[in-house]
Amino acid sequence: MTEEEHAVFQKALDTWGGDAQILCLLEEMAELQDALCKHKRGRRTTDDIAEEIADVEIMLNQMKLYFRVEEEVKAQRARKVGRVEERLRSCTNRT
């Protein structure tokens, strides 16, 4: 996240509190889930999905700040991307 985003997200946490922002994240994830389900039924556009993904990403960035886990998330993400790469190599080797 940019320095500007970091400042805005920290201000949101300071203003509304971590517990409120956790609930907000849960609401945003539910809205994304709903948009994806409706998309599968032809009732939502990719613009709707992009908006909901952005909302979830914003709240996830706030959670990284709230729980002070930015570096840990980076490390876990790198590890998990590596696992996906390994699985893809396994799939490729089978064919």
Side-chain angles (χ1 to χ4, degrees):
M1 79 186 85
T2 66
E3 289 182 28
E4 293 82 13
E5 289 172 332
H6 186 284
V8 170
F9 299 154
Q10 188 60 57
K11 186 170 183 176
L13 286 165
D14 294 343
T15 301
W16 295 305
D19 288 342
Q21 295 310 85
I22 289 171
L23 292 176
C24 189
L25 169 61
L26 296 173
E27 290 170 4
E28 296 299 350
M29 289 189 305
E31 289 174 14
L32 174 57
Q33 180 181 8
D34 183 58
L36 292 168
C37 288
K38 287 182 178 174
H39 176 73
K40 293 302 289 179
R41 294 191 305 261
R43 296 176 42 208
R44 282 288 185 114
T45 67
T46 53
D47 287 343
D48 296 325
I49 292 168
E51 179 181 355
E52 298 305 337
I53 289 172
D55 289 342
V56 169
E57 285 182 345
I58 287 167
M59 297 312 301
L60 288 173
N61 279 314
Q62 288 184 47
M63 293 301 99
K64 289 180 211 176
L65 295 177
Y66 181 63
F67 290 105
R68 296 185 175 112
V69 293
E70 286 181 88
E71 292 306 313
E72 291 92 335
V73 169
K74 283 181 190 176
Q76 289 289 346
R77 181 182 171 101
R79 184 179 67 79
K80 290 179 181 266
V81 168
R83 282 186 11 201
V84 171
E85 287 177 322
E86 184 60 36
R87 287 179 183 150
L88 288 169
R89 278 194 291 275
S90 294
C91 290
T92 304
N93 292 338
R94 289 184 202 164
T95 57

